[in-house]
Amino acid sequence: MSVVGALRCRHGPAVRGAFFHGGRTDQELAENARELSARPQLGLRHPSAIRSDEGGAVRRTPGKIQRIGRAQPHGIRHSGARRAVSIRIRLTLLTVIAVVIPLTIGMALATVLLHRSLVGSLRERTEVRAAEVSDVLTNHGVGGVQDRLHLLADEGRRVQIIDPAGAVVFSSAGAGANTPLSPLRPSPGQVEISGVEGWPLDVDDSPPVVVARGSTHGLSPYIVLVAAGRHVQDDAALRVARAAVVVVPTLLVGVAVVTWVLIGRTLRPVEAIRRTAQAITASNLAARVPEPVQTDEIAALAHTMNSMLDRLQAGHEAQRRFVADASHELRSPLASLRTAVQLAADPAMSTDLPEVLAVMDTESARLQRLVDDLLTLSKADDAGVVPVRFRDVDLDDVVAGEVRRLSVTGTVTVRSTLRPVRIRGDELHMSRVVRNLLDNAVRAATSTVTVTLTHVGTTAQIIIDDDGAGVPPDQRQRIFERFVRLDADRSRHTGGSGLGLSIVTEIVRAHGGSVRVEDAPGGGARFVVEVPAEPEPPTDDDQD
């Protein structure tokens, strides 16, 4: 029995497949191993090497496990050290403060302006009456003023006339017969006023508004004094101030209550979102936060969070599938290697050692290709795009080299039509794109694979057709996903891992291009790769 037959008998389909030599040196394999160990999603480390320098959770050393406390960053307190004031309370307080300050200032200004307006109106009326008395005094003397007193001294106003010697020569009722109403002594034709400033808290202490006007009768100067009490005006303004003291706090309480209720109703969806988000775990990513009916900012926040959860769930499921598929793919070559080792070590098995070593070399090469593919995809995930070293690349030479390889080692007829095309890109990566697509076409083709390289303006097109069964329209996007096979059993038999087209997509995207699949003109599948290229040089016909 051959070694391959013995492997198949012992492990069945786990070791089946065509094998290709990886062609890597021991140094390259060691570099790949170090790169694997540096990547958390792929690398494996011995338990005794586990450390936690920054996290402080667990430090594992041979023989014992030490739990290390995590040092708190400077200036950061534990969330339970103090309870933060809720947004509802803060917004309510801010609203009350925002209302009380301008309202208090406004009410105070309004009361002061009201008082000034009332006192100013009283002063104007008193000035008018003083002018009337002065005119009567000038034209008719003191006797004329006394005759017209019932017209000049209305209720609440008192009138006095002071002669040049400072004696009171005329006084209305309540003005006092001997004591002047004011010490003001303006010159003839001048007016002086007192009692318009100030605002006593007790209206009984309100000073009267006194208007002193200088006048003459004949050649003798006189002083006309007209006084009007302002307690009515002071009392009116004081009543307004007292009403404000009662109204403003009441209004503030109403504002606080209304604000508290409205903010509570506004934040109710936020609380529901918080409770739901708190209940979501890695094992419960299907849960979604409630979205309010209103189309406001909170509804937009809930919609955004649900969209984020959709992406997280999709990523989590993709990662889980990726790990499961990678484990499944790695198990097959590892099982083959282990079986080969057991066969070589079993003296009861009549095996040929060179044949066993050949199987082990083939399976290790298969394992290396799979690890390389995983590393390439891991780099694309880490950087967002496959790292590319851009240089001038003759794409026709790259495609021609891969066509020659298939012509020698392939089992189908390969036809090619290539035009000179130069691009800015990575030659190794583009060679891998062409190789993966050609290997995929060879596996699917019945007898013929056609390769065409064209130059359309500033775009290079690589077109690869096969005469196989083709790709169903509903699967043409899915086949570019990782570990996706339309014929899983056949792909594993021929060494495919389901990562080739995913790598093609990542490399082409890193070059600023695109890849798609469609129906070939003669049946089968057509893969079209488009990448930016240098402008096509002018032909002789264009120069003419």
Side-chain angles (χ1 to χ4, degrees), residues 42 324-335 367 370-371 374:
L42 296 175
D325 292 337
S327 301
H328 179 77
E329 294 296 332
L330 290 170
R331 183 177 60 182
S332 177
L334 288 175
L367 181 62
L370 180 58
V371 171
L374 292 174

Side-chain angles (χ1 to χ4, degrees), residues 98-126:
V99 172
V100 67
I101 293 177
L103 184 61
T104 302
I105 295 175
M107 292 298 294
L109 289 177
T111 304
V112 171
L113 292 177
L114 173 64
H115 180 260
R116 289 185 178 181
S117 176
L118 294 175
V119 174
S121 177
L122 177 63
R123 183 195 63 186
E124 292 176 357
R125 293 195 302 271
T126 305

Side-chain angles (χ1 to χ4, degrees), residues 51-57 59 69-71:
R51 293 292 186 271
S52 179
D53 296 334
E54 296 179 0
R59 175 175 295 171
R70 181 190 297 268

Side-chain angles (χ1 to χ4, degrees), residues 307-387:
S307 300
M308 178 191 66
L309 290 173
D310 291 338
R311 294 191 298 271
L312 290 176
Q313 184 181 12
H316 180 73
E317 293 176 353
Q319 183 181 18
R320 185 173 56 187
R321 290 195 303 267
F322 184 87
V323 172
D325 292 337
S327 301
H328 179 77
E329 294 296 332
L330 290 170
R331 183 177 60 182
S332 177
L334 288 175
S336 300
L337 288 173
R338 183 179 180 186
T339 301
V341 172
Q342 291 174 350
L343 289 174
D346 190 355
M349 298 293 295
S350 58
T351 56
D352 186 9
L353 183 59
E355 188 176 357
V356 172
L357 294 178
V359 171
M360 295 177 65
D361 180 71
T362 303
E363 289 300 314
S364 63
R366 180 184 175 191
L367 181 62
Q368 179 182 328
R369 287 196 305 273
L370 180 58
V371 171
D372 287 342
D373 290 344
L374 292 174
L375 283 174
T376 300
L377 294 175
S378 179
K379 291 177 182 179
D381 291 340
D382 290 344
V385 67
V386 175

Side-chain angles (χ1 to χ4, degrees), residues 376 379-380 383-393 423-430 433 503-513 531:
T376 300
K379 291 177 182 179
V385 67
V386 175
V388 176
R389 296 179 180 179
F390 286 96
R391 295 184 178 89
D392 289 337
V393 177
I423 66 170
R424 290 284 297 174
D426 192 309
E427 183 175 355
L428 293 178
H429 282 327
M430 291 306 301
V433 167
I503 294 174
V504 168
T505 303
E506 295 294 342
I507 294 176
V508 172
R509 184 168 64 89
H511 283 76
V531 293

Side-chain angles (χ1 to χ4, degrees), residues 44-262:
L44 299 176
R45 301 180 66 185
H46 194 275
S48 62
I50 297 177
R51 293 292 186 271
S52 179
D53 296 334
E54 296 179 0
V58 174
R59 175 175 295 171
R60 185 186 300 271
T61 57
K64 63 179 180 179
I65 298 177
Q66 298 177 357
R67 184 166 300 276
I68 310 300
R70 181 190 297 268
Q72 295 290 338
H74 178 70
I76 299 179
R77 295 184 178 180
H78 192 271
S79 59
R82 61 183 181 88
R83 182 178 179 84
V85 181
S86 67
I87 295 179
R88 190 177 187 182
I89 295 176
R90 283 183 288 172
L91 289 179
T92 302
L93 291 177
L94 289 176
T95 303
V96 171
I97 293 174
V99 172
V100 67
I101 293 177
L103 184 61
T104 302
I105 295 175
M107 292 298 294
L109 289 177
T111 304
V112 171
L113 292 177
L114 173 64
H115 180 260
R116 289 185 178 181
S117 176
L118 294 175
V119 174
S121 177
L122 177 63
R123 183 195 63 186
E124 292 176 357
R125 293 195 302 271
T126 305
E127 288 183 13
V128 171
R129 190 51 47 90
E132 292 176 352
V133 173
S134 179
D135 291 340
V136 173
L137 176 62
T138 302
N139 297 324
H140 303 284
V142 177
V145 174
Q146 188 172 5
D147 294 338
R148 295 171 177 78
L149 184 61
H150 62 285
L151 299 176
L152 299 177
D154 56 359
E155 184 178 359
R157 287 181 177 81
R158 294 162 290 172
V159 179
Q160 282 185 343
I161 299 177
I162 309 298
D163 63 7
V168 178
V169 296
F170 175 80
S171 179
S172 64
N178 298 319
T179 304
L181 295 173
S182 173
L184 300 176
R185 298 294 183 267
S187 303
Q190 302 296 319
V191 177
E192 295 181 4
I193 303 173
S194 66
V196 295
E197 303 295 336
W199 184 9
L201 297 178
D202 188 357
V203 296
D204 294 335
D205 298 334
S206 299
V209 176
V210 178
V211 177
R213 187 180 184 89
S215 182
T216 59
H217 178 66
L219 297 177
S220 300
Y222 290 91
I223 304 297
V224 175
L225 300 177
V226 179
R230 68 175 210 187
H231 61 276
V232 175
Q233 289 75 13
D234 290 345
D235 183 66
L238 190 58
R239 288 177 180 272
V240 172
R242 291 171 179 171
V245 171
V246 177
V247 171
V248 170
T250 304
L251 183 61
L252 291 178
V253 171
V255 170
V257 172
V258 173
T259 303
W260 179 267
V261 174
L262 291 179

